[in-house]
Amino acid sequence: MDDLVKFLRARNMADNHAYAEVAHRFGGDALLDSHLPMLDLVDMLARDYEAMDRADARRPGLAYALRMLAQSYAEHPHYRQEWRPQAHQRDML
């Protein structure tokens, strides 16, 4: 799961850099309808997961949520099929 969190944080960083480039070239108004706030929320969840105690009862739910969010990068060459959320993981929640 640590690799998945690192992957998600790296994708978020890359996406944030892309948004910064757009803002630099076209101005901040170009980002009005962007997914930038969502990137911040995904990064916050990834950081919360990293800081969470392994015995925390919320950890499996957060892990499942991160797996779901990572699917948006399923076409990325570093995405691993093993990260796909499984039905049994959802049923354990």
Side-chain angles (χ1 to χ4, degrees):
M1 191 65 195
D2 290 339
D3 288 341
L4 171 67
V5 172
K6 288 177 187 174
F7 172 81
L8 259 178
R9 297 206 61 206
R11 299 295 61 77
N12 275 338
M13 186 178 297
D15 287 347
N16 275 314
H17 287 298
Y19 279 120
E21 178 65 21
V22 168
H24 176 73
R25 287 181 181 222
F26 304 107
D29 288 345
L31 300 179
L32 289 177
D33 292 327
S34 73
H35 292 88
L36 200 53
M38 183 65 171
L39 292 176
D40 291 341
L41 291 173
V42 171
D43 193 57
M44 181 187 72
L45 291 174
R47 284 185 279 121
D48 287 351
Y49 182 85
E50 289 175 320
M52 191 175 280
D53 187 280
R54 292 193 181 277
D56 193 313
R58 298 170 298 166
R59 192 171 168 94
L62 185 51
Y64 184 77
L66 292 172
R67 288 175 181 274
M68 291 293 291
L69 292 165
Q71 285 187 99
S72 64
Y73 298 103
E75 299 302 317
H76 190 278
H78 295 119
Y79 181 84
R80 298 181 193 165
Q81 292 303 313
E82 67 208 46
W83 292 337
R84 286 197 179 283
Q86 305 297 317
H88 73 276
Q89 294 167 330
R90 181 192 66 232
D91 295 341
M92 292 177 12
L93 301 178

